[in-house]
Amino acid sequence: MKPESSSYRFLGQICTRITDGTHQTPNYQDQGVIFISAKNIKDGQLDFADRKYITCEEHQFLTKSAKPTPGDLLLTKSGSLGDVAIIPELNFEFSIFESLALLKPRRDLVDSNYLYQYIRSPEAARHFHGITTGLAVKHLHLGDLRKLKVFLPSLERQREITEQLSTWETAIQKTEQLIAAKERRLHSLYQKLFGL
């Protein structure tokens, strides 16, 4: 059954803040506070392996209006569009470049894990595809991002949906790993049987 339109809210209505990182290239350092961009979102996770550093003073300046905190979401808005990750509990702070949008969900309305799953849905992908600009490098504008319609059941139902999707994702990952292992075994057999 198709959800009633009244069950939808705009992303801008269910977040206390939607912003992006600095539009100016920082003065990079050999060490200091971690600085990341869209390339640091990989497979729904934050990946800090390829990182840059800025001074503590610049970090404090850049995060005056909005500091990334656990439970917030980071969304790629330049290049590879719509990749998203939830900020986990970390023992360090970091700053972001303009290629990342920072979403601060209203915890009384939306569960961060549910919003993460919804942003990864085909419905959200269609929205992103329809509002992107740029010929060579695609971009999402924050104003258009705020207009994403999000299906919003109760918090309890959100958590049920998240659990169901997570179970399926885990099963798919295990299947993919099994297929990859069998392909490696088949390749080994080809080499052994045909002397390749």
Side-chain angles (χ1 to χ4, degrees):
M1 184 170 75
K2 188 174 176 60
E4 296 295 327
S5 59
S6 60
S7 300
Y8 285 85
R9 300 283 288 273
F10 289 117
L11 185 61
Q13 295 174 313
I14 61 172
C15 291
T16 60
R17 180 96 193 213
I18 297 178
T19 187
D20 56 8
T22 179
H23 289 235
Q24 303 296 321
T25 302
N27 183 19
Y28 297 125
Q29 309 292 312
D30 291 333
Q31 57 185 358
V33 179
I34 293 172
F35 183 84
I36 64 169
S37 64
K39 68 181 179 182
N40 297 98
I41 308 290
K42 295 178 181 175
D43 299 321
Q45 302 286 328
L46 270 174
D47 183 349
F48 291 102
D50 184 9
R51 61 195 184 193
K52 298 185 182 297
Y53 296 96
I54 59 175
T55 65
C56 291
E57 293 76 19
E58 189 163 14
H59 168 69
Q60 289 171 0
F61 175 76
L62 294 178
T63 56
K64 266 184 185 176
S65 59
K67 181 184 288 189
T69 56
D72 293 347
L73 282 75
L74 291 173
L75 173 75
T76 58
K77 59 184 271 293
S78 295
S80 177
L81 301 175
D83 289 339
V84 64
I86 299 176
I87 300 175
E89 292 286 346
L90 300 168
N91 59 1
F92 57 87
E93 295 184 0
F94 63 92
S95 285
I96 61 173
F97 200 39
E98 61 89 20
S99 57
L100 287 171
L102 175 66
L103 315 179
K104 291 187 166 290
R106 281 186 54 183
R107 308 299 165 86
D108 60 322
L109 290 177
V110 63
D111 182 84
S112 293
N113 292 294
Y114 174 82
L115 186 56
Y116 165 84
Q117 292 288 2
Y118 191 85
I119 289 173
R120 298 178 70 203
S121 72
E123 182 70 22
R126 281 191 291 273
H127 177 77
F128 297 146
H129 179 73
I131 63 174
T132 53
T133 62
L135 296 174
V137 179
K138 300 292 185 183
H139 298 279
L140 287 172
H141 290 287
L142 294 178
D144 293 326
L145 184 59
R146 292 183 182 100
K147 295 175 186 172
L148 170 66
K149 285 185 178 179
V150 179
F151 176 58
L152 206 67
S154 68
L155 283 168
E156 181 182 357
R157 180 62 181 141
Q158 289 177 36
R159 293 179 184 117
E160 289 172 357
I161 290 170
T162 299
E163 187 176 343
Q164 281 183 301
L165 291 171
S166 296
T167 299
W168 274 100
E169 284 181 342
T170 300
I172 290 169
Q173 286 172 358
K174 286 181 179 177
T175 302
E176 288 173 343
Q177 290 169 357
L178 183 61
I179 291 171
K182 291 192 174 203
E183 286 176 345
R184 287 193 299 272
R185 175 65 178 149
L186 178 62
H187 182 71
S188 176
L189 279 172
Y190 272 120
Q191 289 180 319
K192 181 178 178 181
L193 296 173
F194 296 129
L196 299 175

